[in-house]
Structures are given as C-alpha cells and as structure tokens.
Amino acid sequence: MKLEDALSAQEEGLLNCVHCGFCLSSCPTYVRLGDEADSPRGRLHLMRAVVEGRLEPDSPAFQTHIERCLGCRACEPVCPSGVEYGMLLERARQVAWSARRPGWTTRLLLGLVAHDRVRSVWLAGSRLLRWSRIPDMVLRLLPATPRLHTVRLALAMLAGSGPPPLAEIRARGPEREPGDAPAAESSLPGEGRTVGLLTGCVQEGLFARVNRATERVLRANGYTVVTVEGQGCCGALHAHAGALDEARRLSERNVTAFEAMDLDFVVTNAAGCGAAMRDYDHLLAHGGSGGDGGEDPGTGWARQGRAFASKVRDVSELLGGEIRPRRGASLPVRVAYDPPCHLLHGQGVRGFPERMLEAVPDLEVVAVPRGEECCGGAGIYGLTQVELGGSIGRDKVEAVRRTEAPWVATGNPGCMMQIAAGLRMEGAHVHVCHPVELLDESYRRAGAYGTPA
C-alpha cells in the first residue's frame, strides 16, 4: 500500500500544516524528548516525505517516530490551520503496518478484542484473576525493575479495574433531603428521547458496572434505554494501530446494529470509543471494508457512517447540558477530575462531566493540574512504549497526588486502568472511578431506583 493511496482523500489536510509550532508545547512526546521528529509537525513532515517518495515507509525514521505518537490529539485544538492530525496519523500507521508488521504484543491484543468468543474467554479469565486478588499479591512481590515494568504494569492495570469502594463514602445528613426530590418529569433532560448504549469490549468485560450505572442514571433522567443486539468492539484500538481494514469491519457491524433501532442518540461512556465512532464518517467515507476506496461519499457505507457519527454522544453530554439532571443524595468527598484525551481533544467535550457532577450534593470536584495532558495509556501505548509511556504516566500520577483528593474520576476505561496502575505501583491510596459511578451512587442513596440503601 502506498501512503498516497491511504491519504488521497486527506492530502489537502496534510498540506494545511504551516509548521507554525503552536502544537509543540501541547505534545507530550516533544515536551519530553525535544526531538522535532517527535512533534506533530515533524511527523506530518515525515508523512509528506513518504508521499513524495523521499522516504520509504519501512525506514526506521518513519516507523519509530510515527509509532511514538500517543495519538492523544492535544495538537488539534491549538492548531490554527485546523489540521485533522488524528485522522492523518491513522492513515500513516496503516502504511507503517503494511510496510512492517507491528510486534506480537500489538497483534495479540488487537486479535483478542476483535473476536467475540476469544475476547469473552480472555476477559472472563481476567475477571476471575482480578477477583482472586493474585495480581495485587504478585505486584507486591515483584521488584520494581525496568525489566519487569511491563509485567507489573499489566498486573496493576487489571487490579485497578476492580470496583471502587463507593459505599465507604459517609453521607452528610439524611439519605434524602428536601432538595433531593426527583425533578418533575417535564424537566428531565431525556424526556421523549430513546438511546442505545455502546457496551463495548473491554468496557463490558472489565467495567460492566459502569455500563449498568450508565443505563440506570439515563433512565432516572427520562431517557428510554434500549438494548442493541449485534453490536461489538468499536474498532478504536485497530484504527489507532493502523489496522484500518479490521476497524472498518468492526464499524460496519456497529452501524448495522444501531441503524436497525429507532434511536435519537448512540451513547458511550468510553471516551476512546466515542472518538472512534464520531470518526466513522471518515473511516467509511470511501466505502466499507470490502470496497476499493472508490465509493461515492453520498451513498452506501459513507452515508451510513455519516448518519451514525452524527448521533454519537458521551453520556456526560446528555446529562451535563442546559437541562440539568435530577439531584441525588449527599456524597461529601473530594474528587479530582481528569479529562480523557479522546473526550477533551478528540470529541471537543468540555465542561459537561463537571456540570453532570453538580447534581451530586456535597461533592467537591477539583481539576487535575495539566489535566489536558495524556496519562500515557493511549490504548495499548503504555504496554508497547514502556519507557516513554511510563514517564508520561508517572507525571499524571504525580499531578493526581498534588490535588490531595482521595478519589480521581475519568471517563475512559484505558485511562482508569492506567492511572489506577500508576497509583498502585507508587503505593498511593487513591481510588479511581468513572464520573457516572458517582452520580449512580448518589441516586442510589437518594432512592431514585427504589428504597434508599
């Protein structure tokens, strides 16, 4: 595959970069390495060099610097030329994938999440291992050496995916206060709206509690939540790695499943999945996985992908808008909020999660310093780029600890596991949760689902 083929529809976007340098200070890899080739504009220069035939796609320079990118897309909001860097990166990685297949770790993880039966067995085994508490025990025994970092990180991520001890938060005052009465039905944000939730692969496998909490809080706010049969992995990990043919196959499956339902919105509680699904219009712009790339953008999969993408919403957008959600019961605790890159930069969702959490009385939400910077997880980046990912992850953990909050909330499973793992490995007693879990616990205590617990 030639890069000019992968980027043919986006060549103008590639040329839009004027090399102004506004992106440099926002790029985690450039900030740490100081190498122009590890900046967004440097990587765009490498892409152009391959397009123009000045550089081979299997060259160490192209492979190394394209692979080092987190794909956090922090460069996009600060770019005055509006370069769609994330999309260009995926096309470049598609070429890198074709020129030199990635390592076995990447291929194994992508294979596991793509196939339903294999994934189910793998995640069931992971849940059993997590329940046994063996990961925590082994983690305490293994020395913190560079050679064992990947093993320790994987164990800490699995242990950190477990349910947080929300029941330990002591309520202030009575379980139900006068101001916590359910809102009138006419003022509920979801009145007359029908939604379908992307349950996801890792999200449903390791964070099913977050999916159930999402369904409960949406229903409590007037939304009709329907079950969408036939859905599966969103394809985000495959797209980020450059396996675009597999990403398109997975996207087609989801478009078909959700299109069969009469939905107002496709809801997600995983930032990475949301960003990927909002890009289905680009992913399918020139035909599906079986096409030749020449399909008319106004027909077929291109049209369906565009219609699907327009319906995708993060759960916080539905509950943190102008019509505020019903109030819950008291949760008097300090929580640090860290915005996932693919929610903040990839989807442009700002302020909605914080406004959603305003429905929880006595909850003190503080911002993580430099919260706009990636946690180092970036899908499977923390496992494949051990040294650099570890450095970025340690900086995020230090930022969380500076808030002195006993809890940290973030809206993406990869970020939750990465941050929880970093905290565990440093012995910090900080609990990690999804923002919707806090709202769900508040509603449970207020009796929104029946008798207050």
Side-chain angles (χ1 to χ4, degrees):
M1 177 181 293
K2 297 180 180 179
L3 188 56
E4 48 263 54
D5 294 334
L7 290 171
S8 59
Q10 291 82 34
E11 188 171 1
E12 183 178 347
L14 180 61
L15 297 174
N16 280 344
C17 177
V18 296
H19 297 268
C20 64
F22 283 10
C23 60
L24 298 182
S25 62
S26 67
C27 178
T29 54
Y30 179 78
V31 167
R32 285 164 179 81
L33 300 175
D35 188 336
E36 176 71 18
D38 284 310
S39 72
R41 70 179 185 183
R43 293 184 176 106
L44 290 170
H45 180 75
L46 290 172
M47 294 180 205
R48 287 189 60 182
V50 173
V51 168
E52 295 167 3
R54 294 182 285 110
L55 188 67
E56 292 299 321
D58 62 351
S59 67
F62 183 74
Q63 292 280 334
T64 298
H65 299 297
I66 293 299
E67 184 64 25
R68 274 186 190 160
C69 182
L70 288 148
C72 67
R73 298 170 65 174
C75 53
E76 290 186 12
V78 300
C79 178
S81 300
V83 175
E84 294 181 299
Y85 178 82
M87 180 174 57
L88 295 170
L89 176 67
E90 290 179 357
R91 271 57 181 183
R93 282 185 168 164
Q94 181 181 19
V95 172
W97 178 291
S98 301
R100 182 186 297 173
R101 296 190 71 191
W104 69 267
T105 303
T106 300
R107 298 199 306 273
L108 175 63
L109 290 173
L110 295 185
L112 286 173
V113 299
H115 299 92
D116 293 351
R117 292 184 180 178
V118 175
R119 182 179 68 242
S120 296
V121 173
W122 168 50
L123 291 174
S126 298
R127 291 193 301 271
L128 181 61
L129 185 60
R130 182 180 68 186
W131 172 83
S132 73
R133 304 191 65 83
I134 289 176
D136 265 327
M137 292 186 288
V138 175
L139 185 63
R140 286 193 291 267
L141 295 173
L142 289 178
T145 62
R147 187 168 60 89
L148 295 174
H149 177 78
T150 302
V151 176
R152 295 184 78 248
L153 177 62
L155 291 170
M157 290 176 70
L158 179 57
S161 69
L166 288 163
E168 293 180 6
I169 300 176
R170 302 297 179 186
R172 180 177 297 157
E175 287 285 346
R176 185 196 293 269
E177 300 174 359
D180 297 331
E185 186 176 347
S186 60
S187 65
L188 291 175
E191 181 185 12
R193 302 292 183 89
T194 300
V195 301
L197 174 68
L198 178 87
T199 54
C201 47
V202 173
Q203 188 77 324
E204 182 66 18
L206 295 179
F207 296 92
R209 66 178 192 274
V210 177
N211 283 340
R212 304 296 85 76
T214 300
E215 293 165 350
R216 286 192 294 268
V217 298
L218 287 172
R219 290 191 176 106
N221 282 285
Y223 288 97
T224 299
V225 183
V226 299
T227 300
V228 179
E229 301 290 348
Q231 62 169 295
C233 173
C234 69
L237 293 178
H238 300 80
H240 299 335
L244 293 190
D245 287 340
E246 183 67 12
R248 289 189 182 98
R249 184 187 70 79
L250 294 169
S251 69
E252 291 167 12
R253 173 180 176 177
N254 284 321
V255 168
T256 301
F258 282 89
E259 193 178 55
M261 314 294 291
D262 185 16
L263 302 175
D264 293 291
F265 300 114
V266 175
V267 186
T268 177
N269 50 31
C273 299
M277 294 193 300
R278 275 183 152 137
D279 283 343
Y280 276 6
D281 54 340
H282 296 304
L283 187 63
L284 299 174
H286 297 279
S289 59
D292 59 4
E295 183 178 352
D296 187 326
T299 61
W301 284 116
R303 174 187 55 77
Q304 291 174 273
R306 188 163 56 250
F308 179 94
S310 69
K311 292 184 177 183
V312 176
R313 298 290 187 280
D314 185 77
V315 61
S316 66
E317 293 181 271
L318 300 186
L319 298 174
E322 293 183 6
I323 302 178
R324 298 304 174 88
R326 63 192 298 178
R327 285 172 63 80
S330 169
L331 285 183
V333 69
R334 182 181 177 90
V335 176
Y337 174 68
D338 191 66
C341 294
H342 284 95
L343 186 64
L344 184 64
H345 309 308
Q347 300 183 63
V349 175
R350 294 175 177 269
F352 288 93
E354 295 93 330
R355 288 196 293 273
M356 179 182 75
L357 291 176
E358 289 175 2
V360 183
D362 301 319
L363 186 71
E364 181 188 0
V365 180
V366 297
V368 173
R370 287 187 60 84
E372 71 280 359
E373 185 172 79
C374 184
C375 67
I380 59 176
Y381 189 95
L383 297 173
T384 59
Q385 297 286 329
V386 176
E387 185 174 345
L388 191 53
S391 172
I392 296 169
R394 285 190 293 274
D395 289 344
K396 177 64 71 175
V397 167
E398 177 57 30
V400 169
R401 298 183 73 170
R402 285 205 300 271
T403 68
E404 298 184 350
W407 287 77
V408 58
T410 188
N412 188 61
C415 301
M416 292 172 71
M417 288 192 289
Q418 178 77 3
I419 294 173
L423 290 165
R424 260 179 160 77
M425 290 193 293
E426 292 196 8
H429 299 290
V430 180
H431 304 298
V432 182
C433 67
H434 192 289
V436 82
E437 291 185 275
L438 294 166
L439 186 57
D440 178 59
E441 177 66 13
S442 178
Y443 282 178
R444 185 188 68 82
R445 297 186 184 199
Y449 310 136
T451 305

